[in-house]
Amino acid sequence: MPDPGSFTQPVLSQRALRVATEPLANLLMAKTLAQPELISLAAGFVDRQTLPVEPTRRALEAIWSDPEQTRAALQYGTTIGHAPLREAVLERMLHADGCTADELNVSIDQVVVTAGSNQLLFLIGDTLLDPGDIVLCGAPSYYVFLGALENLGSRAVGVEVDQYGLIPEVIEQRLARLEAEGELGRVKAIYVTTYYDNPSGLTMPAERRAALVEIAQRWSRRSKIYVIEDAAYRELRYYGDDTPSLRSFDPEGDTVIHAGTFSKSFSPGIRVGWGILPKALVQPILAQKGNIDFGSPNLNQTLMAAILRMGLFDPHIEQLRDGYRQKADAAIRAADEWLAPIDSVHWERPQGGLYVWLRLPESVDAGLAGPLFDRAVDEGVLYVPGEYCYPNGEQTPAKNGVRLSFGVSSPKDIHRGIEALSRAIRQVVS
């Protein structure tokens, strides 16, 4: 018989082994704990001082004042989510897009509430993708979703972006290439953050949104190709006019999966997100969700519904925009002062969101193994290496990208942090 003591290591699943490496967030947290004086331009968190303490207190008191409403909030909810919240979410999207429910062929029955939008993104992947299936996305793209795709054994295929985000012509070229290689049938989705992308800060213009939906529909020849619209940052608009959602360019409602969240616009601790799904996906995704959590936390959903019903959300958004606008301005002023004089350092001015994406000279390795990261830490600043924002696979991740987040630090610290980063860059390019 085998020695019982020999089985000391767990035998992990293939899915677990695909993500067995230490997450980037843990590595950055370790640096922060070891050097608490570091200025973090890495964490994509919201500013602690902006968290909605008073609106949340008022909404909770309103719920607690009604014993029946309190008991209902403390009970299990439904897998699809709290009906008043789903109604409010749909009404807000339709109002923002200037559309009616009939025009977009949508109803409350297609709105699913999740524990943040990341849960929805994982559920979509788990429902649509088999190992080896393909999701097209920008290069760079949201690295947490890239990790989820890797976990599922699917392939994220990166395509070129410009200052307006995904390029429809390049998507078309890549689909044609995949068809020639006999893999068009494995393409299940195109993923895009349409507002103030994480990490690039870019917003896709309306004409490209329409083109992307049309391309997905036209190329759905071997299997259905969905477009996953991640609209997590839509409310964080500091300049310019709002752009209609990608979902508004899908009047049949059978192509676009619209994902949203209150984590960035209200509170990540309440952890409420949602999806507005094509009808064909509602029941399959609810079946997956029911096996995972039997419904997202009902109290949190009841709380968000009360916040929206009592008119507490929009005033908070205005305060949030004012504060983050100052931080975005501080980041761009500091970049103009300290980074512009360095040859071949480029960035785009974000119109909203929480991020500035830097492109350094191609000779600069900004990754964890490169010289810049440790130099930046020595100078007192932390950033996210851009290499984590590129899909694994056929493309070599660009090493010269840097994601800066201005969400957590004060305008003064943002200025100091970018000045420190400029010193580190000069050390490795000189």
Side-chain angles (χ1 to χ4, degrees):
M1 293 182 61
D3 178 4
S6 64
F7 298 107
T8 57
Q9 295 299 319
V11 180
L12 302 180
S13 69
Q14 290 300 308
R15 180 180 286 190
L17 290 172
R18 283 194 288 267
V19 290
T21 56
E22 186 174 12
L24 175 62
N26 290 357
L27 296 171
L28 296 177
M29 183 63 72
K31 288 283 187 185
T32 303
L33 292 174
Q35 296 175 252
E37 72 281 2
L38 281 174
I39 296 172
S40 178
L41 300 181
F45 295 164
V46 298
D47 186 341
R48 189 172 183 271
Q49 299 304 314
T50 68
L51 292 173
V53 175
E54 181 60 19
T56 303
R57 182 190 65 78
R58 289 177 58 189
L60 283 171
E61 286 182 350
I63 295 169
W64 254 232
S65 68
D66 181 342
E68 284 305 310
Q69 187 179 15
T70 302
R71 292 187 183 95
L74 294 174
Q75 181 57 279
Y76 282 115
T78 60
T79 304
I80 196 170
H82 188 52
L85 178 60
R86 290 160 50 226
E87 290 175 356
V89 162
L90 182 57
E91 287 174 7
R92 288 185 67 85
M93 189 196 77
L94 293 171
H95 177 75
D97 287 343
C99 298
T100 66
D102 288 341
E103 287 172 332
L104 294 188
N105 189 28
V106 67
S107 74
I108 183 179
D109 295 334
Q110 293 163 255
V111 182
V112 176
V113 179
T114 53
S117 58
N118 276 335
Q119 186 193 39
L120 177 73
L121 293 175
F122 189 86
L123 286 169
I124 292 166
D126 212 17
T127 302
L128 294 181
L129 301 172
D130 287 317
D133 283 346
I134 294 169
V135 175
L136 300 183
C137 59
S141 199
Y142 176 39
Y143 69 83
V144 175
F145 186 55
L146 296 179
L149 294 177
E150 184 176 4
N151 177 227
L152 293 168
S154 57
R155 290 179 287 163
V157 174
V159 296
E160 180 185 354
V161 301
D162 62 11
Q163 68 268 34
Y164 302 111
L166 283 175
I167 306 168
E169 295 80 6
V170 176
I171 293 282
E172 191 112 35
Q173 291 165 10
R174 180 49 66 101
L175 288 168
R177 176 177 160 188
L178 288 165
E179 183 178 45
E181 295 169 349
E183 292 204 292
L184 180 60
R186 305 224 68 165
V187 179
K188 299 299 176 65
I190 302 167
Y191 169 79
V192 57
T193 303
T194 42
Y195 301 91
Y196 325 119
D197 176 57
N198 176 4
S200 69
L202 303 175
T203 295
M204 177 179 281
E207 57 272 17
R208 287 199 182 182
R209 299 178 187 219
L212 191 60
V213 173
E214 190 276 330
I215 288 169
Q217 292 170 341
R218 181 160 41 83
W219 281 88
S220 293
R221 299 200 286 259
R222 303 293 177 84
S223 66
K224 180 66 180 177
I225 299 175
Y226 292 97
V227 181
I228 303 170
E229 176 181 30
D230 189 341
Y233 298 92
R234 182 175 190 175
E235 302 283 2
L236 301 188
R237 173 174 52 84
Y238 317 135
Y239 303 100
D241 297 326
D242 191 23
T243 305
S245 71
L246 203 143
R247 176 63 177 82
S248 71
F249 296 96
D250 180 23
E252 296 302 317
D254 61 357
T255 298
V256 175
I257 302 168
H258 179 90
T261 180
F262 291 109
S263 292
K264 299 297 194 248
S265 59
F266 196 75
S267 166
I270 295 175
R271 205 68 180 161
V272 172
W274 67 88
I276 301 177
L277 308 178
K279 292 175 184 177
L281 291 183
V282 173
Q283 288 307 315
I285 284 180
L286 287 179
Q288 294 281 64
K289 182 172 170 54
N291 288 332
I292 291 171
D293 66 6
F294 204 59
S296 299
N298 198 37
L299 174 59
N300 299 25
Q301 297 178 59
T302 304
L303 172 60
M304 280 309 310
I307 286 161
L308 293 168
R309 183 183 71 250
M310 295 169 66
L312 301 173
F313 182 75
D314 288 317
H316 172 72
I317 283 292
E318 289 306 317
Q319 294 179 9
L320 205 61
R321 287 173 176 163
D322 288 343
Y324 284 139
R325 186 182 297 113
Q326 295 177 36
K327 295 187 176 199
D329 288 345
I332 295 303
R333 283 197 304 269
D336 289 341
E337 180 176 355
W338 297 107
L339 299 177
I342 305 174
D343 288 342
S344 300
V345 177
H346 304 284
W347 63 91
E348 304 292 338
R349 181 188 183 97
Q351 300 300 301
L354 297 174
Y355 308 104
V356 176
W357 178 255
L358 300 182
R359 301 184 307 281
L360 306 181
E362 291 187 4
S363 61
V364 175
D365 184 348
L368 289 180
L372 180 62
F373 187 82
D374 286 339
R375 296 285 181 90
V377 170
D378 290 342
E379 292 291 343
V381 65
L382 201 59
Y383 64 81
V384 168
E387 64 183 2
Y388 284 89
C389 302
Y390 288 83
N392 292 326
E394 60 190 72
Q395 294 174 313
T396 302
K399 298 283 190 178
N400 62 328
V402 168
R403 192 197 78 173
L404 302 180
S405 172
F406 51 80
V408 175
S409 297
S410 68
K412 180 179 179 181
D413 279 347
I414 291 167
H415 190 276
R416 290 174 52 227
I418 292 177
E419 180 184 3
L421 180 60
S422 74
R423 293 195 300 268
I425 294 171
R426 288 184 182 279
Q427 291 172 35
V428 300
V429 300
S430 58

